[in-house]
Amino acid sequence: MPRWFRIWEKKRGSRRTVSRVVASVGETFFFSAIFFFGVIFTAMTVASTVLETWPIRTMFPEVAYVEGECTVQEVRVVSLGTEDYPRYQPEALVLLDLPERQHHHWSLRRSPLFYSTQEAAWNRLNGYEPGWIYPCWFDPDSPGQSVVLERTPAWGLWVIFLVLISFIVIGGIGLIYTLLLMGTSVERRSAFAKKAKTLELLREAMPATTYPSIPNDANLTNSPGVRLAFRLPIEVSPGWWLLATLIFSLLWSGMAGVFFIAALGNHLAGKPDWMLTIISLPTIGVALAAISQFLREVTAHTRVGPTGLEISNHPLYPGKEYRVFVTQAGKMKVRQLQILLICEEAATFLQGTDVRSETKRVVEEEVAAAKGFEIKPGLPFEADYQLKVPVGCMHSFKSDHNAIHWKLVVQINAEHGAQLSRSFPIVVYPAELEVDR
């Protein structure tokens, strides 16, 4: 019995070829995890730093310190260590005079300084004279125990930010690169390189003065196919939907991280904000759901794979027949694959003071259908069919308020309820235009 989940596809001597599906899914999840980790924890770190809450306040207490003035009353050098390894610590007796009360504390900086000789320790105190007033910093919640004359640089905090930003950059670039490669095959790039030399640089265009309302097909014929003349562009690429889901997940996750840090910091400080806590819970739930939806979209996109549709000629004319070649990659069992020829009429009009748009499907014909087959990694479904444009149909049309759109739609109904629909726009010219040309 063949395995459903194949990690290795081939083995040639000591060299193996990894499964493309496993590689794509693995790379996408790996870079997604790095990217989301960087974005969420960067937002949480920024919020914790700005709001002066846990965990940054616990790791770097001086981010919450405020500046004030204090009087140095006395200086000294404390002898520590042993006779063999002496250590000397310089200190200053600081008087912090606040409206509530006065605070006395031996201090110099939060991270103690130690010297191997008394002379070096006394030299460190040369800048402090008893009775003089100096700027100082202290924690408003515990000023008597935290007052310092010198602040310690928070190099560790900047290192954390640099590491998190590197996660965002590496994960983002890797994720974008992986998603772009999902829709591009080696055969596709090879065909483009080979056929680019044979394409006409200047194609005969429809006279704009004679038919100004018929859309130009230049953007539909600038990509060569592997089997047929042209590869039609997809109308709504799944990559854009993935990008939209990713952006929403990032924005909402960042907001949820800020709410979580703010609420947790208030609870740890003994001042719980229950309204903020209540708001944070559903916000975090939506963030987790958004991330889960993004990962499902990535899995589905990787599993289904890209859909390609090629056509033998373009533009199309009523009553004429054309060849279409469809390719569907991925790994799934397909119940039915349909290719539909669809024409839609769109209208934009005023209703009172509102601008409304409506679309009605006026033509829907089945071009071809295939049932009960399985798509395996590295072996995409490929089929060649005949397409005939209905006689007497309306040609493509576009104006300020009305439009006639033609398109080919590939619909896939796979097992486990997975459904897919991808549209490829086409342009239909009037029948008499072919005679004139």
Side-chain angles (χ1 to χ4, degrees):
M1 172 179 278
R3 292 179 298 172
W4 180 85
F5 187 75
R6 298 183 61 192
I7 299 180
W8 305 105
E9 286 185 347
K10 299 177 183 178
K11 181 177 180 181
R12 297 176 180 175
S14 60
R15 181 172 61 88
R16 292 185 176 182
T17 304
V18 70
S19 169
R20 295 175 61 187
V21 174
V22 174
S24 298
V25 174
E27 287 182 358
T28 305
F29 274 82
F30 174 74
F31 288 117
S32 298
I34 293 178
F35 189 55
F36 276 103
F37 177 87
V39 170
I40 294 174
F41 278 87
T42 298
M44 294 173 64
T45 304
V46 171
S48 179
T49 303
V50 174
L51 299 177
E52 299 177 356
T53 59
W54 178 89
I56 296 301
R57 184 164 182 172
T58 303
M59 300 170 61
F60 307 97
E62 292 189 52
V63 299
Y65 281 19
V66 296
E67 187 175 359
E69 292 185 344
C70 58
T71 304
V72 174
Q73 295 185 318
E74 186 181 347
V75 294
R76 71 181 183 184
V77 172
V78 180
S79 179
L80 303 172
T82 62
E83 294 183 0
D84 297 332
Y85 300 99
R87 293 191 305 167
Y88 301 95
Q89 178 183 349
E91 291 182 340
L93 180 58
V94 177
L95 170 62
L96 178 62
D97 191 3
L98 297 178
E100 300 82 10
R101 55 170 294 189
Q102 292 183 339
H103 300 275
H104 294 81
H105 184 61
W106 285 98
S107 174
L108 187 60
R109 55 186 294 176
R110 183 175 176 274
S111 301
L113 294 174
F114 299 99
Y115 295 90
S116 59
T117 64
Q118 284 189 345
E119 182 181 0
W122 281 110
N123 290 336
R124 187 67 178 77
L125 294 170
N126 284 340
Y128 299 101
E129 297 291 337
W132 286 33
I133 297 176
Y134 295 92
C136 62
W137 292 265
F138 59 91
D139 188 345
D141 294 337
S142 57
Q145 302 297 321
S146 61
V147 59
V148 294
L149 293 173
E150 301 175 0
R151 300 192 69 175
T152 304
W155 300 116
L157 182 59
W158 289 107
V159 171
I160 291 176
F161 275 115
L162 289 176
V163 171
L164 293 177
I165 292 174
S166 67
F167 273 103
I168 295 176
V169 174
I170 295 173
I173 294 176
L175 183 60
I176 293 173
Y177 180 74
T178 304
L179 293 178
L180 289 178
L181 286 184
M182 284 182 183
T184 308
S185 62
V186 178
E187 294 82 1
R188 167 77 182 130
R189 294 191 291 266
S190 176
F192 186 86
K194 291 180 180 179
K195 291 193 176 183
K197 300 179 180 180
T198 62
L199 290 177
E200 296 178 1
L201 296 179
L202 297 176
R203 298 181 65 250
E204 184 179 2
M206 179 179 54
T209 56
T210 307
Y211 300 96
S213 59
I214 298 181
N216 198 311
D217 67 334
N219 291 330
L220 306 181
T221 56
N222 57 4
S223 181
V226 177
R227 296 285 185 87
L228 302 180
F230 305 110
R231 177 186 174 107
L232 296 176
I234 193 168
E235 192 172 36
V236 180
S237 173
W240 290 109
W241 175 250
L242 278 176
L243 180 61
T245 308
L246 174 62
I247 293 175
F248 176 80
S249 302
L250 292 178
L251 295 178
W252 199 275
S253 299
M255 182 177 65
V258 173
F259 284 1
F260 172 75
I261 287 295
L264 184 60
N266 290 336
H267 280 277
L268 294 177
K271 302 175 182 178
D273 188 339
W274 293 109
M275 181 59 68
L276 180 60
T277 303
I278 294 174
I279 295 176
S280 300
L281 293 178
T283 304
I284 295 173
V286 173
L288 295 176
I291 295 175
S292 176
Q293 178 64 27
F294 170 74
L295 295 178
R296 283 197 298 268
E297 292 287 343
V298 169
T299 303
H301 182 61
T302 307
R303 190 172 181 81
V304 171
T307 304
L309 193 63
E310 302 177 8
I311 195 165
S312 59
N313 201 359
H314 201 276
L316 280 62
Y317 298 93
K320 297 294 182 179
E321 292 187 356
Y322 305 89
R323 291 175 58 201
V324 291
F325 177 71
V326 60
T327 61
Q328 178 61 57
K331 178 180 175 60
M332 58 182 170
K333 293 182 178 180
V334 179
R335 295 176 180 173
Q336 184 179 34
L337 182 145
Q338 279 185 303
I339 303 179
L340 302 176
L341 176 63
I342 293 176
C343 176
E344 294 179 339
E345 180 180 356
T348 303
F349 55 92
L350 288 174
Q351 188 174 28
T353 58
D354 298 331
V355 178
R356 298 189 58 183
S357 297
E358 291 188 3
T359 302
K360 182 179 180 181
R361 184 169 296 184
V362 293
V363 175
E364 180 177 338
E365 294 188 359
E366 183 180 85
V367 177
K371 298 181 180 181
F373 59 91
E374 181 179 1
I375 302 177
K376 297 181 180 180
L379 297 174
F381 171 79
E382 298 180 347
D384 198 326
Y385 299 106
Q386 289 293 123
L387 162 68
K388 183 176 182 179
V389 182
V391 179
C393 64
M394 177 63 181
H395 59 77
S396 299
F397 175 81
K398 186 176 182 180
S399 66
D400 294 337
H401 302 287
N402 300 88
I404 301 292
H405 300 296
W406 285 87
K407 60 184 177 180
L408 290 170
V409 178
V410 178
Q411 292 183 346
I412 297 178
N413 183 11
E415 289 188 353
H416 308 294
Q419 294 185 348
L420 173 70
S421 180
R422 291 175 178 173
S423 301
F424 301 84
I426 55 176
V427 175
V428 176
Y429 281 7
E432 64 273 11
L433 181 60
E434 183 182 24
V435 178
D436 296 340
R437 295 177 66 181

